[in-house]
Amino acid sequence: MALLLGCIADDFTGATDLAALLARSGLPVSLRIGTPPEKRDRSETAAFEVIALKCRTSPVEIAVEQARQALEWLRQAGASRFFWKYCSTFDSTAEGNIGPVADMLMAETGTAQTIYCPAFPENGRSVFMGHLFVGEQLLSESPMKDHPLTPMRDSSLVRLLTPQVAGAVGLANRNTVLKGAAALKARLEQLSGDNIRHVIVDAVCDEDLGTIAAASFDMPLLTGGSAIAGQLPRLYVEQGLAERPRHRQALPKAAGGQIVLSGSCSAMTRRQVATYAAQVASLRLDPIALAESGATSACEWLRRQPDDAPKLIYATAEPEEVRRAQERLGREKAGQVVEEALSEVAREAFRHGTRRFVVAGGETSGAITQALGVTHLAIGPEIAPGVPWTFAAIEGEAVALALKSGNFGGETFFTDAFERLGAA
Ligand code: ADP
C-alpha cells in the first residue's frame, strides 16, 4: 500500500499512542522499533509507518541524527509527508529535542513553515493562548513540574520552543481557530510573511483539531501530539489520497496463555495492579531480592502456574517502597534489576506458550519488547485512548502485546485488555 505519512516518535509508548489514533481510521498502521537497518521494499509498507525512537532526553546531536536516519528510511519507503510526534505535555529539556529535530526535518523536507500542536483533548491536554493545560491545571502547576527527567516549569509553548529553534516562534490562537480553516490558513500565511516558520496553534477540543488539520495537512512536515495526527487519515480519504477502508485489516490470532507484567509505579498503574491482583494469581517482585538472587524464583513460580490461567507479575510499588529500593540500590540499578527480571520472565513465559502479553510502563515496555526480539508491530484494536493491542511475530509465532504507559487506561485496564482482544 502507498505510504501516506511517515511518522517519527520520540519515545516508545508515544509511538504506540500515535499508532493507535491513526489506526482508528481502519487504514493499516505499522510501528517499527528503531529505524530498521535494511531499506524496505515499498510493497511491505503500511499506509502509516511509525518509527519509535528513544530520543526524548538524548543529547541534541544524537536525537537529530536518529531522526535523520528515520526520515531517510521513511523516504526510501516512499513517504513524502512526515509527522514529528512528541508528548502531549511537550516533554523536553531546555536544549531540546522538539525544536532541533523539527528544524532538521524542515530543512530536509523543504518545509517553509510548520505547526506545533501537542493538544490531546480526549486525555485532558489543551492549548489556549499558547499555554498548555493538563486538565484544568497549567502544565507548570501539574505533576509534570516534578518529572524526574523533563520537569516542565513553564506553560508557555512560545517561551519553551523559542530557545530550541532557529528563528522566531509565532502563535495562531483559539480566536483564529474558531473562525475556521480559511481564517487559520490566512493567519499562517500572515506569519509566514513575517518570516515566522514555527507556529504554535491553540486547540481545546477535537473540533479545533479538525480545523487545524484542514488548514495545515498539505505541509510536508507537521509536528505535535497523537491527536492532531489522528485527524489526518479522514482528510486523506476526503482528498482522495486513500480509499475509505471497507473492512478492517485482518490481524493475526494470538492463541496461547496470557500474562500481565508491570514495572510501572505510576498512580494509575498502582490502582490497576491492585484491582487485578485481587482476581488472578499474582507475584510481587522486590528489587532488593532481585538484586541478590535474580529472577530464578519468579520463573519457577511462573512454571508452577497452569499454562492457561491468567497471571500477574509486578514490581509496581508505592512511592515509599520505591524510595527504599532506590536508597539501597541506587535509582538506576533499582530500575535495571526490575527491567531485567521482567524481561527474563517474559522470555520464560513465551517459551511456555504465553502469546498474549500486557505490559505496564514505558521503559518496561521497551525492555520487554527488546528482550522478546520484537522490531515490528502491526496495530490492532484500541483498549483505552492511546493504548492499542499490537501484534508481532516472534520465532514465527503470532504474539499480541498491549504496551501501556504509566498513567493510561482505567482501573480495570488489564481485564479490559483481554476482553477487547477476545472480541476483536
Ligand atoms: P511509567 O510508564 O509508569 O513511567 P516505566 O516503566 O517507564 O513506567 O518506569 C518505571 C521504572 O521504575 C522502571 O525503570 C522500573 O524498572 C522501575 N521500578 C519498577 N518497580 C520498582 C520498584 N519497586 N522500585 C524501584 N524501581 C522500580
Side-chain angles (χ1 to χ4, degrees):
M1 180 168 222
L3 208 178
L4 297 172
L5 186 71
C7 307
I8 304 170
D10 70 349
D11 91 334
F12 190 81
T13 40
T16 50
D17 166 18
L18 171 64
L21 267 73
L22 292 167
R24 284 180 184 175
S25 65
L27 289 164
V29 180
S30 104
L31 193 163
R32 319 226 175 216
I33 301 167
T35 303
E38 75 284 12
K39 298 199 174 79
R40 211 70 183 191
D41 170 358
R42 286 187 187 194
S43 61
E44 288 180 45
T45 52
F48 295 89
E49 285 284 340
V50 180
I51 294 185
L53 300 179
K54 195 176 183 310
C55 66
R56 185 167 291 167
T57 55
S58 310
V60 173
E61 327 70 77
I62 292 176
V64 169
E65 189 45 38
Q66 284 186 2
R68 193 193 304 278
Q69 284 168 14
L71 173 72
E72 196 44 45
W73 188 93
L74 291 165
R75 270 181 163 156
Q76 298 267 1
S80 57
R81 287 182 210 80
F82 302 91
F83 190 83
W84 167 223
K85 156 74 170 73
Y86 38 83
C87 190
S88 58
T89 42
F90 215 71
D91 303 11
S92 54
T93 63
E95 296 76 37
N97 292 318
I98 294 174
V101 169
D103 259 334
M104 179 279 291
L105 294 172
M106 287 174 81
E108 290 285 333
T109 56
T111 306
Q113 184 187 54
T114 195
I115 60 156
Y116 294 80
C117 185
F120 192 169
E122 198 179 342
N123 273 348
R125 275 67 159 152
S126 55
V127 182
F128 183 64
M129 297 301 157
H131 287 68
L132 182 48
F133 289 81
V134 176
E136 292 180 348
Q137 287 177 310
L138 279 164
L139 175 67
S140 55
E141 291 166 22
S142 77
M144 280 304 297
K145 70 182 188 306
D146 299 319
H147 191 278
L149 301 176
T150 50
M152 302 306 288
R153 303 270 159 84
D154 194 349
S155 307
S156 160
L157 294 179
V158 173
R159 270 199 305 266
L160 285 166
L161 187 60
T162 298
Q164 296 191 19
V165 291
V169 176
L171 172 67
N173 74 26
R174 179 95 200 291
N175 294 335
T176 305
V177 175
L178 275 179
K179 289 187 189 129
L184 177 55
K185 233 176 151 88
R187 171 67 178 150
L188 292 170
E189 274 161 26
Q190 181 198 13
L191 289 166
S192 197
D194 294 337
N195 202 24
I196 292 180
R197 306 172 65 238
H198 306 275
V199 185
I200 308 290
V201 188
D202 278 357
V204 303
C205 59
D206 285 342
E207 288 70 26
D208 293 346
L209 295 176
T211 303
I212 296 163
S216 61
F217 83 97
D218 51 0
M219 289 176 172
L221 173 74
L222 294 173
T223 90
S226 54
I228 184 69
Q231 299 286 329
L232 297 173
R234 179 181 46 80
L235 279 168
Y236 292 164
V237 169
E238 281 170 16
Q239 300 291 322
L241 298 169
E243 268 186 52
R244 196 174 301 283
R246 282 196 203 90
H247 44 78
R248 292 243 150 209
Q249 186 194 3
L251 290 162
K253 280 264 173 268
Q258 66 182 60
I259 195 165
V260 174
L261 300 170
S262 177
S264 159
C265 298
S266 295
M268 182 45 87
T269 308
R270 297 204 305 271
R271 285 166 53 193
Q272 291 161 341
V273 164
T275 304
Y276 199 58
Q279 298 168 22
V280 303
S282 64
L283 177 72
R284 183 173 162 274
L285 301 179
D286 169 21
I288 297 168
L290 290 174
E292 279 162 15
S293 43
T296 312
S297 62
C299 290
E300 279 165 12
W301 179 87
L302 188 63
R303 283 195 294 274
R304 285 198 301 274
Q305 306 308 309
D307 283 348
D308 54 354
K311 33 207 161 297
L312 162 70
I313 299 187
Y314 63 100
T316 305
E318 296 298 313
E320 185 55 30
E321 280 175 65
V322 172
R323 230 182 342 268
R324 206 153 37 87
Q326 288 178 340
E327 276 166 13
R328 229 357 226 283
L329 303 169
R331 177 188 296 264
E332 209 173 305
K333 173 93 176 155
Q336 194 190 335
V337 291
V338 168
E339 285 171 34
E340 281 169 7
L342 288 173
S343 297
E344 207 173 316
V345 167
R347 282 194 299 266
E348 181 74 13
F350 176 76
R351 273 195 294 276
H352 288 268
T354 300
R355 297 293 179 264
R356 293 170 291 158
F357 293 81
V358 174
V359 183
E363 291 298 318
T364 310
S365 295
I368 288 178
T369 44
Q370 197 176 14
L372 291 173
V374 175
T375 55
H376 185 195
L377 296 163
I379 307 301
E382 209 173 1
I383 306 155
V387 199
W389 271 106
T390 69
F391 298 89
I394 301 175
E395 295 170 16
E397 296 281 319
V399 172
L401 297 145
L403 309 166
K404 183 196 88 77
S405 79
N407 280 318
F408 277 24
E411 205 160 302
T412 54
F413 178 84
F414 299 137
T415 39
D416 296 347
F418 293 115
E419 274 169 20
R420 186 80 187 80
L421 190 60

